[in-house]
Amino acid sequence: MLKAHLVLTAALFAGCAAPATNSPHTITVFGTAVAEVPPDKFSMTINISSRRPVSDRALAETETKLATARQLLARYKVPDGDYVFAGTQVQLEDLDEGSKGKSAREFLATSSIEITLYDAERRDQLIRELINQHVGEISGVSNSLKDPIAHRNEARLAAVRQARVKAKAMAQELGQSLGKACTVDENPETDWSPNYSRNVYAASSNEAVVVASPRRAGLGMVEVSASVKVSFLLE
C-alpha cells in the first residue's frame, strides 16, 4: 500500500513538472508614438485692477477697463459662452512708504475675465489690443485641443505599428518569422499635453515615432502620445 502511494505521488508531481511542449513561443515588445498636433483651443485670463485712495474711484476705473474688455471681445466676435467675468472686489490695503516710516491706505478694486478662443490669429490680435489699451495683465495663457481623441487614436495605431516593426526585426535575428499578435495592452497613463519645445519628446524616448502633422509658425505644438505592449507568436 505504501509503495502504491509513493508511486501515485511521484506520478502526480511528474505531471505538474512536465514541460508543456505545445505552448506557443511568443515575443513581447513595447511601442511608443507621439503625434505633434497644432493646438486649436486657447485659454487665458485677464486680471484687471485699479488702486486709488478713494474706493469709488478705484471701482470706477476697474469698471471702465471691464467695459473696454467687453468692447474688444465683441469686436473680435468672441461668443458670450466663451468668456466668464468674475465679480469686482474692493479691499483696503496698507502701503509701506519705506524709509519715512509712514504708511498710506489705498483701495484696490480687482476683477478678471477667463477667455477661451478657437482661433490662433484672433487670440494674438486680442492680446495685442488688451495690452495696447492697458486693460490689465494677461496670465494663464495655454494651448490645448478641442478633441484630442482622434489624435490619440492616430498615435495609438502608430505605436502598434512600431511594436510590429521591432518584433519582426528581433524575430528575423533569431531565424524565425513573426506570427499574429496574441495580446495587446495599452499604457493608460499616456495622454496629451502642450509642448512648447518641439523636441522635448526626443529626450524622453529615443524610439518615439512622430506622426506627421501640419505645423503653424509661432505656435507651441501639442503632444498626443500612446504606448502599447504587444505579444506576437513566433513561427
Side-chain angles (χ1 to χ4, degrees):
M1 179 65 69
L2 179 60
K3 180 178 180 181
H5 177 72
L6 292 175
V7 170
L8 178 60
T9 302
L12 288 174
F13 276 98
C16 292
T21 57
N22 295 327
S23 298
H25 297 285
T26 63
I27 182 171
T28 301
V29 295
F30 291 87
T32 303
V34 179
E36 286 191 331
V37 185
D40 55 12
K41 181 179 179 181
F42 312 95
S43 302
M44 62 182 178
T45 300
I46 308 172
N47 301 297
I48 300 172
S49 64
S50 294
R51 188 190 302 274
R52 290 291 181 263
V54 181
S55 61
D56 290 346
R57 185 178 175 186
L59 182 60
E61 289 188 1
T62 298
E63 291 296 332
T64 299
K65 293 178 181 180
L66 284 170
T68 301
R70 288 189 180 94
Q71 294 173 358
L72 292 175
L73 291 171
R75 181 189 304 175
Y76 289 101
K77 300 180 179 180
V78 180
D80 292 343
D82 291 344
Y83 59 86
V84 178
F85 284 87
T88 302
Q89 297 182 344
V90 180
Q91 60 186 25
L92 184 61
E93 291 190 339
D94 291 328
L95 303 178
D96 187 4
E97 293 191 352
S99 60
K100 295 181 181 180
K102 300 179 180 180
S103 63
R105 308 184 75 186
E106 288 189 342
F107 291 91
L108 176 66
T110 60
S111 186
S112 63
I113 312 172
E114 294 183 0
I115 305 173
T116 302
L117 300 171
Y118 299 95
D119 182 278
E121 184 176 355
R122 184 181 303 175
R123 178 205 62 176
D124 294 342
Q125 292 172 349
L126 178 59
I127 289 177
R128 282 194 293 267
E129 285 288 347
L130 291 168
I131 293 174
N132 291 339
Q133 298 198 33
H134 307 286
V135 173
E137 297 180 354
I138 299 173
S139 64
V141 179
S142 63
N143 302 337
S144 58
L145 300 173
K146 288 187 292 186
D147 182 11
I149 294 177
H151 303 293
R152 177 68 182 274
N153 289 338
E154 183 183 4
R156 185 183 292 114
L157 295 178
V160 172
R161 289 193 294 270
Q162 189 212 38
R164 175 176 286 278
V165 170
K166 291 170 61 176
K168 184 177 181 180
M170 295 168 69
Q172 289 177 345
E173 182 66 22
L174 297 172
Q176 296 179 280
S177 59
L178 195 67
K180 295 181 179 181
C182 51
T183 62
V184 180
D185 296 311
E186 182 180 14
N187 179 7
E189 296 181 359
T190 54
D191 208 337
W192 67 273
S193 60
N195 176 22
Y196 299 103
S197 176
R198 292 183 176 175
N199 294 321
V200 166
Y201 67 89
S204 60
S205 175
N206 293 328
E207 296 176 340
V209 175
V210 179
V211 181
S213 299
R215 294 178 180 269
R216 278 181 172 173
L219 290 181
M221 304 294 280
V222 176
E223 286 186 350
V224 184
S225 61
S227 177
V228 297
K229 181 175 73 172
V230 187
S231 294
F232 296 93
L233 296 173
L234 289 175
E235 299 175 346

